[in-house]
Amino acid sequence: MTAAVARNSPRRGGLRVVGAKRLSRYTDATTSPEVQEDMITAAQERVGGSFVGWATDLDISALKTTPWERPELAYWLDRPDEWDVLIWQRMDRAVRSMADMADLGRYAKQHGKRLIFASGPGGDMLELDFASPMSELIMLILAFAAQMEGQTIMERNQGAAAHLESLGRWGGGPVPYGWEPRRKTFEDGNEGWWLFLHVDKEDPTRSTSDIRRSMIARAISGKGFSEILRWLEEMEAITPFNHRARLATPPREQDENSTWNVTVVREMLLSEINRGYTVKRDGSIVRDDEGAPVLQAEPLVDNDTAYRLKDALKLLENGLAGKPRSDGHELLGIVVCGICQRNMVQSWTSETKGKGRNRVRTGVRVETFRCNGKHHPEGVPGLGMRRAEVLKWLDVQFLENVGPFRRTQVVTTPGVDHRDEIAELGAAVDELATRLGRLSGPAADAVEKQLVGRSTRLQELQAAPYVPPRQEVVELDETWGDVWRGTDDWYKRAKLLRDVGVRIEALPAKGWRPDISTRLRFLVGQHVDPVEDALEDVAQQETL
């Protein structure tokens, strides 16, 4: 019998048996699905009948799910007419809650089902007869014992994980995307688990550290969460669920239905594990007695990249970046309407030929820059002009007005921002001070040591909570014209235009087919705050 579910419901006489297997992430590896299956099969042979199917729910905790929240088991519970007997290896495979056991007992009593555990108290098979009140009492007593055992196991594992994390070891649990656990000898001479960057040289779509690093690079460049999600889907990047399944021992089967979503993308970008820090469930950083972050993994990015990512994510969270626009273009923010001073947007019009009644549409779509005129004075219409003509004119103007000059570059030295860490340490100091007042003896000594360490670290950071980035203008050996001629990519050319501070103003046409040069003004040195411009642009879009 395999772990797959066999769902053949027709009754051929005799008892119809369903075997239920469950393996929790909190239990140890000695209780394998195969062992459970052997014991369930032995119990089925004792009661008679034949199997009509199996409910195999792996990696599911009975402490966190009811029987009806486990996919395979819920299938059979929702179809009581298709079976007679449900067999588990032990009661803790079925429930670890008195409430869940009571619900399961009421269900069995209502539908006339037999619940059997292959190994009950003393090791012998246990069958619950819900016709007897005594059986219901025994059922609740055993469920209470299973519940207490589950809580003890969970607390023991959480305590062990916290101790390992304090030593800079990986404490177990779901493997974060981008890493794989391996054994390592630490500076104290002891061996433990550590998270190493995961690299798959044969298949880049499964090299999760490279994928996560590429996600960060895209966020820094201004891509939104949805754009990064589409990129992951297009390249068919392995999902976090399947990444963990592949690293399991033994490896689990890949789920073809596993998908990415925006929430996962956002959480991965925001997580401080990108710097190798140990992170709690609530996203806060685990710190040592002195208040310094505790490492449990190889850093994915350096501090400079982490600061740049943080700035980019603030922009994303405020809705000023990564906003999908159908009317956006490379020169957005550079080409503006000379009347209302708002951004010209991208549009398409049908080309026409002829004049008057002989004028006809050719069917050719022509790309244009336009302003709809909604913010113009009364009686002043909107305006538009062909994109190709604007780019051709701009090419000449840039080379004539800016091209001969030596290129300069603004070199930014990243600043330091400890404000978030100060807030975290302040909250930790308050929490430890409250705990200290309720403790005595060795526990109080340990908390006092943590309190002193965090307070000292907090004072150090408060001395310089924020150091702004420093910028320096450096003159290069090449001219602006050299760089301009070196590319025909208008996204790259747009960056040069912004670096110089170029602004193009479009003016209304005068006369019949006026020369493009009479409709455009080339201005240099009009630097625009990108955040102000983005806010203004969002406000404009809301009025369209």
Side-chain angles (χ1 to χ4, degrees), residues 454-503:
R454 283 164 171 74
S455 298
T456 303
R457 175 67 175 169
L458 180 60
Q459 289 177 344
E460 293 174 355
L461 297 182
Q462 287 175 332
Y466 177 70
V467 178
R470 181 169 53 85
Q471 293 185 332
E472 181 182 2
V473 180
V474 178
E475 190 174 86
L476 305 178
D477 293 333
E478 58 190 0
T479 66
W480 290 102
D482 294 335
V483 183
W484 182 272
R485 295 186 192 95
T487 181
D488 57 1
D489 185 334
W490 277 96
Y491 280 102
K492 294 180 180 179
R493 287 187 169 184
K495 184 179 185 308
L496 296 177
L497 293 169
R498 292 187 177 93
D499 290 344
V500 175
V502 170
R503 184 183 179 93

Side-chain angles (χ1 to χ4, degrees), residues 83 172 188 288 341 349 370 374 395 427 505 524 538:
W83 57 276
D188 58 9
D288 60 19
Q341 299 300 310
T349 59
R370 67 171 178 84
K374 286 189 175 181
D395 187 18
E505 289 189 353
V524 180
V538 170

Side-chain angles (χ1 to χ4, degrees), residues 307-430:
Y307 294 138
R308 291 165 58 203
L309 174 62
K310 198 172 195 178
D311 291 340
L313 291 178
K314 286 180 181 177
L315 205 59
L316 282 173
E317 295 286 273
N318 291 330
L320 301 181
K323 184 180 177 66
R325 298 186 49 145
S326 60
D327 57 359
H329 56 88
E330 306 96 315
L331 302 182
L332 194 67
I334 297 174
V335 178
V336 300
C337 174
I339 299 173
C340 64
Q341 299 300 310
R342 296 181 181 272
N343 288 328
M344 299 277 283
V345 296
Q346 183 173 256
S347 181
W348 287 264
T349 59
S350 295
E351 184 182 56
T352 60
K353 287 187 177 181
K355 298 180 182 180
R357 294 181 178 179
N358 296 324
R359 191 173 185 179
V360 296
R361 296 181 182 275
T362 65
V364 177
R365 299 185 73 203
V366 178
E367 198 170 354
T368 63
F369 294 140
R370 67 171 178 84
C371 173
N372 58 25
K374 286 189 175 181
H375 301 278
H376 289 186
E378 187 175 353
V380 179
L383 54 90
M385 53 189 63
R386 295 191 176 193
R387 168 190 167 92
E389 294 179 0
V390 174
L391 297 186
K392 183 177 179 180
W393 173 86
L394 181 54
D395 187 18
V396 174
Q397 293 297 313
F398 184 89
L399 291 175
E400 287 182 356
N401 292 280
V402 182
F405 295 98
R406 189 72 63 86
R407 185 186 172 207
T408 58
Q409 184 176 23
V410 177
V411 178
T412 301
T413 302
V416 177
D417 189 352
H418 292 302
R419 290 174 291 187
D420 289 343
E421 188 176 355
I422 287 173
E424 290 180 3
L425 285 172
V429 167
D430 292 341

Side-chain angles (χ1 to χ4, degrees), residues 62-68 70 91-92 94-107 115 117 128 130 135-151:
L63 280 169
K64 296 184 177 182
T65 62
T66 69
W68 283 266
R70 302 168 205 163
M91 181 173 285
D92 61 0
V95 296
R96 283 196 183 273
S97 161
M98 292 179 65
D100 289 347
M101 190 67 249
D103 290 340
L104 200 58
R106 280 192 293 269
Y107 171 91
L115 303 183
F117 306 98
L128 297 176
F130 294 97
S135 291
E136 294 188 30
L137 177 61
I138 294 173
M139 171 193 72
L140 291 177
I141 293 173
L142 294 175
F144 175 76
Q147 180 174 323
M148 292 298 99
E149 181 188 13
Q151 291 288 348

